[in-house]
Amino acid sequence: MVEWDVNYADQNRLHMSCVHRADHWPWHYRCDQKRQLQENGYHHTISLTNQSETPMPAGLGLHPYFPRNGASIKTKFEGYWNVSDDGLPTKWQKKQGRFSFDSERTTDTVFTDRMNDLIIDWPSHRLTISPSEDKRHAHIFAPREHNFFCLEPVSHITNAVNQDRLKILSSQEVWTAQVSYSVETPR
């Protein structure tokens, strides 16, 4: 496990970083996260730097958890991946539409080619998640037996490392992605 160092923190900003030295993942890299509070939410920037001498495959994503409590997801997707019992993608299914929770089964899949922001509505408020353009996918994990779900803006599908679906960073290349979270309450 890699430990994060706090480089800077005040009431409105946080900058953390970590450095990974090659081991079972055979590349050195540095990761930086910056969070900036805003009036109705916050802005999250994440950067990954390949510190190795050889190209490194990479993917970026954020993995927040949310309470279900009557939530619905309003985001439109072009399709999704059917998954095996162990959660690995098996076949892409073209299906435009909106995601809705199914209380009879666990959802654990990647929805592809997002057509708008990721929007979560609860009875009391709305959360709009606005990922940068390179986060075209969203992994949704909603276990049937628990009252939470994850809506994860990601650059890649599950098991991308075994499907040659990751971005390749050259030596010393930096990849930066951003996600804004904004909360609205009904008037």
Side-chain angles (χ1 to χ4, degrees), residues 153-169:
V154 293
S155 63
H156 54 282
I157 67 168
T158 306
N159 200 30
V161 71
N162 291 316
Q163 296 186 19
D164 292 327
R165 291 177 178 257
L166 293 173
K167 181 175 178 140
I168 304 299
L169 298 181

Side-chain angles (χ1 to χ4, degrees), residues 18 28 62 64 72 77 104 115 118 120 173:
C18 70
H28 302 306
L62 298 175
S72 63
F77 299 98
E104 298 301 314
M115 297 174 169
L118 303 169
I120 307 169
E173 183 177 355

Side-chain angles (χ1 to χ4, degrees), residues 79-115:
Y80 66 94
W81 281 90
N82 289 316
V83 295
S84 62
D85 289 340
D86 57 358
L88 297 177
T90 57
K91 181 181 178 187
W92 185 77
Q93 186 88 24
K94 182 175 179 64
K95 181 181 179 188
Q96 286 189 358
R98 300 175 186 265
F99 174 80
S100 60
F101 291 107
D102 180 349
S103 61
E104 298 301 314
R105 66 181 186 87
T106 292
T107 299
D108 187 7
T109 195
V110 175
F111 290 77
T112 61
D113 302 312
R114 174 179 46 82
M115 297 174 169

Side-chain angles (χ1 to χ4, degrees), residues 12 16 20 27 29 31 40 67 84 96 108 124 129 146-148 150-151 153 180:
N12 298 310
M16 302 185 309
H20 171 81
W27 292 275
Y29 66 83
C31 191
N40 294 320
S84 62
Q96 286 189 358
D108 187 7
S124 61
I129 304 170
H146 295 289
N147 193 33
F148 70 84
C150 303
L151 178 56
S180 289

Side-chain angles (χ1 to χ4, degrees), residues 13-83:
R13 294 176 294 171
L14 173 65
H15 175 201
M16 302 185 309
S17 63
C18 70
V19 175
H20 171 81
R21 294 290 163 225
D23 54 13
H24 62 279
W25 183 254
W27 292 275
H28 302 306
Y29 66 83
R30 176 187 170 102
C31 191
D32 287 273
Q33 293 190 64
K34 294 180 180 179
R35 299 175 190 186
Q36 171 75 47
L37 289 180
Q38 298 173 331
E39 185 177 335
N40 294 320
Y42 86 100
H43 186 78
H44 194 141
T45 302
I46 187 167
S47 298
L48 180 64
T49 305
N50 176 7
Q51 295 185 323
S52 293
E53 295 180 13
T54 59
M56 176 182 79
L60 286 177
L62 298 175
H63 307 280
Y65 284 67
F66 302 101
R68 276 203 203 182
N69 300 342
S72 63
I73 297 173
K74 304 277 185 187
T75 306
K76 292 183 181 179
F77 299 98
E78 188 68 32
Y80 66 94
W81 281 90
N82 289 316
V83 295

